[in-house]
Amino acid sequence: MDMGIHLVSNTGSHERFSTFNPATGEPLGHYPLFSSTRVSAAVASAREGQAWWSRLPQRRRSAVLRRVAQLLCNERDSLAQIITSESGKPLQEALLHDVLVSADAAVFCADNAAAVLRREKIPHKNPGLRFKRGELSWEPFGVIGIISPWNYPLSIPAADTFAALAVGNAVVLKPSELTPRPALELEHLIGAALEAEGLSALPSPFQVVTGLGPTGQSLVSSSIDKLIFTGSVATGRRVAVSAAAQLLPVILELGGKDAMVVLEDADLDVASSAAVWGSMMNTGQTCVSVERCYVHRSIYSRFVSRCLEKISKLKVGNGAVSTTDVGPLINLAQLQKVSRQVDEARALGAIVHAGGNPLPDLGPNFYAPTLITDVDHSMSLMSEETFGPVLPVMPFSDDDEAISLANDSDFGLAASVWGRPSHAKAVARRVAAGTVMVNDLISGFGISAAPHGGLKQSGIGRTHGILGMRELVRPCYLDVDFTSRVKKLWWYPYAENLASMSAFVEMIHSSGLRRVVAAFRSLPAFFHRRY
Ligand code: NDP
């Protein structure tokens, strides 16, 4: 069976596409292919929803989000099964990295929205404008478009959605064509939470538009007010070009080539377990994973042996089976990309210690967990995003070399440094990435308060945390003048006013006697007739 290839059929009024289980090839569902007209209609509905949603008191919006968190928790097992069936990841990963992360994000956004929206006084010392008071308020943008990938089909769109909704925006979400169902489940849960809060009769501020790439393109070209795009660099670049043409602000969360640096004072057992888990979890299809591993020469061969021992114990299979450690890749195209990079590295002299081949007996999308050494940065395996269950390991001699290897990349999403905490922290500060973890990896993504995002080709802007919420509000400076019956000195007419104004400027920027004299010279301006 041709798994992961989506059939598009015309079934009457609307075209539809299908999804398949990447482990078994079983067809899972059919979903509408939203045309640009339907996308525009969804944006219009979301805008209607935003009108009442943004006027709700903050505590009521937060109450809806807290209910969503509770519903996510109640539905955790069935949601994990849906996520596993569409994405292939083991159930435990679906439960923790999608469902739990989403519920945590809902609570975080509910707890922190009021602080993000809090108005701020803007004091000033300008003597000519002293009868004014300035205030900064933070307003929702309006409708936020979210385009999301398949690898975290619930937690990525959910965290972005909650942040946007919490501060009064509406959302139109386009999930990946490979994993649309979790987004529709989210729509259902948000609907249920609104109903429980007595808000169901109103148009929903959350809409989902399913479809393929062109549906995403239609969302970018629609009348949304800001876009959060998470996906590959290639698509992100196309989206950015299209957004630039209409001056649409965008946040781009793109690919990574995350480095793991293991210093000579690292705990070998812990670091090797971390390297194996960090490179293999979600079958290596995690943007903040371990894509390259650099190990100090003094512990390199022992580290490689430990990794080999641990990789050989991993159980590959259907993620729905509770004993499975590593599931299938999402589809054949992803498997071919991983195979090409490993085969090219092998042809250039790399040594494959484990794996290095597909596992067709398990199904067309399975690839063996792979440990590979004798790699260098001329290989695509060390420069391009792999997104597969592959751990490439390379030695280094000192901290400077490790840092220069880690930073020798077009990407800058995440990295980790392992060693004695003070030593590892000093090295971590010199690694160029949006998130650098010391003696841990990936779990930063699960901390709702931690901002997420990268440098270089890994993207622009931040999601998650207070910084992520701040990206979804626009500042508005409110200036109130209390001299409503007084015309300003600098208004028309200018005639015969210039000398007084010149003295006025001198008065502001001088001191002592000079200032007193300038103040007297500026007095005529106060008696000037204005119109
Ligand atoms: P893609 O770039 O292929 O797709 C991402 C989303 O964009 C999908 O919903 C896709 O729809 C949609 N899309 C496709 N074409 C267009 C278009 N022309 N205009 C607008 N939207 C479009 O990425 P993947 O889904 O394959 O996800 C994997 C990538 O995502 C990896 O590179 C990974 O590193 C990155 N990623 C980054 C993260 C981060 O936080 N930095 C987190 C997770 C993943 P469709 O699926 O229907 O084609």
Side-chain angles (χ1 to χ4, degrees):
M1 183 167 305
D2 193 8
M3 292 184 216
I5 305 294
H6 288 228
L7 305 175
V8 178
S9 59
N10 196 323
T11 56
S13 56
H14 292 301
E15 285 191 312
R16 287 149 75 91
F17 66 100
S18 309
T19 56
F20 299 88
N21 183 320
T24 63
E26 171 201 1
L28 294 174
H30 307 286
Y31 299 91
L33 205 54
F34 272 63
S35 63
S36 64
T37 312
R38 290 187 74 193
V39 169
S40 298
V43 173
S45 289
R47 199 171 294 289
E48 278 183 53
Q50 200 257 339
W52 66 262
W53 176 252
S54 61
R55 286 198 299 269
L56 273 187
Q58 178 55 51
R59 64 185 161 72
R60 292 206 64 196
R61 287 199 295 264
S62 291
V64 171
L65 292 180
R66 287 200 184 90
R67 264 193 203 274
V68 175
Q70 198 53 58
L71 293 170
L72 283 164
C73 179
N74 296 349
E75 300 298 322
R76 62 192 179 278
D77 294 327
S78 62
L79 284 169
Q81 275 160 16
I82 289 168
I83 292 163
T84 290
S85 68
E86 277 191 350
S87 70
K89 67 178 68 176
L91 282 168
Q92 179 179 310
E93 294 181 7
L95 184 66
L96 297 183
H97 308 155
D98 276 289
V99 184
L100 178 62
V101 167
S102 301
D104 282 359
V107 173
F108 176 83
C109 294
D111 288 350
N112 288 283
V116 170
L117 292 168
R118 191 165 296 135
R119 293 180 181 153
E120 298 163 35
K121 295 263 178 275
I122 305 288
H124 71 84
K125 293 188 174 165
N126 191 324
L129 302 170
R130 61 187 311 162
F131 298 109
K132 290 165 161 303
R133 294 290 175 272
E135 183 184 282
L136 197 60
S137 66
W138 299 95
E139 308 294 336
F141 271 88
V143 179
I144 305 292
I146 297 177
I147 298 181
S148 59
W150 44 262
N151 60 339
Y152 289 87
L154 182 64
S155 56
I156 289 177
D160 295 346
T161 295
F162 299 149
L165 290 178
V167 293
N169 294 290
V171 168
V172 179
L173 165 64
K174 149 72 178 85
S176 166
E177 71 194 57
L178 302 175
T179 54
R181 176 101 186 262
L184 294 166
E185 295 296 326
L186 182 63
E187 187 177 36
H188 172 71
L189 295 186
I190 290 175
L194 288 171
E195 190 176 343
E197 290 292 322
L199 300 165
S200 60
L202 303 158
S204 175
F206 179 64
Q207 310 275 331
V208 176
V209 294
T210 51
L212 313 186
T215 301
Q217 179 55 56
S218 300
L219 184 58
V220 179
S221 318
S222 72
S223 63
I224 54 172
D225 302 293
K226 187 156 184 173
L227 175 72
I228 306 177
F229 173 86
T230 306
S232 62
V233 174
T235 313
R237 193 175 278 125
R238 276 203 298 280
V239 163
V241 167
S242 176
Q246 61 205 73
L247 294 181
L248 173 70
V250 284
I251 298 170
L252 298 174
E253 297 287 1
L254 308 179
K257 191 71 195 167
D258 312 303
M260 174 176 185
V261 174
V262 185
L263 302 170
E264 67 273 28
D265 43 22
D267 183 306
L268 209 56
D269 187 38
V270 172
S272 55
S273 289
V276 171
W277 182 75
S279 58
M280 304 296 161
M281 59 85 78
N282 202 12
T283 324
Q285 302 165 120
T286 296
C287 53
V288 291
S289 65
V290 175
E291 285 258 332
R292 310 173 276 152
C293 184
Y294 305 102
V295 182
H296 193 272
R297 235 170 248 291
S298 62
I299 54 170
Y300 173 76
S301 47
R302 280 183 295 146
F303 181 87
V304 172
S305 309
R306 295 270 182 113
C307 288
L308 180 56
E309 194 186 305
K310 291 171 185 183
I311 284 178
S312 57
K313 291 184 183 150
L314 294 177
K315 294 188 178 59
V316 184
N318 187 333
V321 176
S322 63
T323 50
T324 294
D325 296 312
V326 181
L329 286 155
I330 187 71
N331 59 18
L332 206 48
Q334 195 54 41
L335 180 129
Q336 285 162 348
K337 182 179 169 204
V338 174
S339 287
R340 175 182 58 76
Q341 288 188 11
V342 171
D343 293 348
E344 183 216 72
R346 198 173 358 218
L348 290 172
I351 297 174
V352 175
H353 299 261
N357 54 280
L359 298 170
D361 292 348
L362 294 179
N365 299 334
F366 286 91
Y367 196 86
T370 298
L371 176 65
I372 185 163
T373 62
D374 296 69
V375 289
D376 64 51
H377 284 201
S378 69
M379 301 169 181
S380 59
L381 185 69
M382 295 299 277
S383 58
E384 294 172 18
E385 185 175 59
T386 304
F387 240 46
V390 181
L391 176 60
V393 191
M394 192 173 162
F396 64 83
S397 300
D398 56 29
D399 290 358
D400 285 345
E401 192 190 1
I403 290 158
S404 109
L405 286 166
N407 290 343
D408 179 26
S409 173
D410 291 338
F411 298 93
L413 189 57
S416 64
V417 182
W418 299 74
R420 188 169 38 82
S422 57
H423 181 195
K425 201 168 154 190
V427 171
R429 289 200 187 284
R430 295 169 63 195
V431 175
T435 299
V436 187
M437 300 190 70
V438 170
N439 292 327
D440 196 7
L441 36 73
I442 302 175
S443 64
F445 189 78
I447 297 174
S448 302
H452 173 69
L455 336 167
K456 302 190 244 178
Q457 301 215 349
S458 292
I460 298 170
R462 292 291 179 273
T463 54
H464 294 204
I466 297 288
L467 287 183
M469 291 173 83
R470 279 238 183 272
E471 297 254 15
L472 301 172
V473 286
R474 58 175 179 80
C476 175
Y477 176 66
L478 187 73
D479 176 313
V480 179
D481 194 301
F482 295 101
T483 57
S484 56
R485 294 180 169 276
V486 181
K487 293 180 188 172
K488 303 292 182 253
L489 303 183
W490 50 91
W491 290 357
Y492 297 132
Y494 291 156
E496 297 168 29
N497 212 29
L498 189 58
S500 308
M501 283 291 116
S502 174
F504 184 72
V505 171
E506 189 180 7
M507 179 195 79
I508 292 172
H509 289 281
S510 59
S511 57
L513 184 60
R514 220 175 134 195
R515 186 170 206 184
V516 176
V517 173
F520 274 106
R521 282 177 44 227
S522 70
L523 276 180
F526 290 88
F527 303 105
H528 200 63
R529 256 184 101 76
R530 266 167 279 282
Y531 52 78

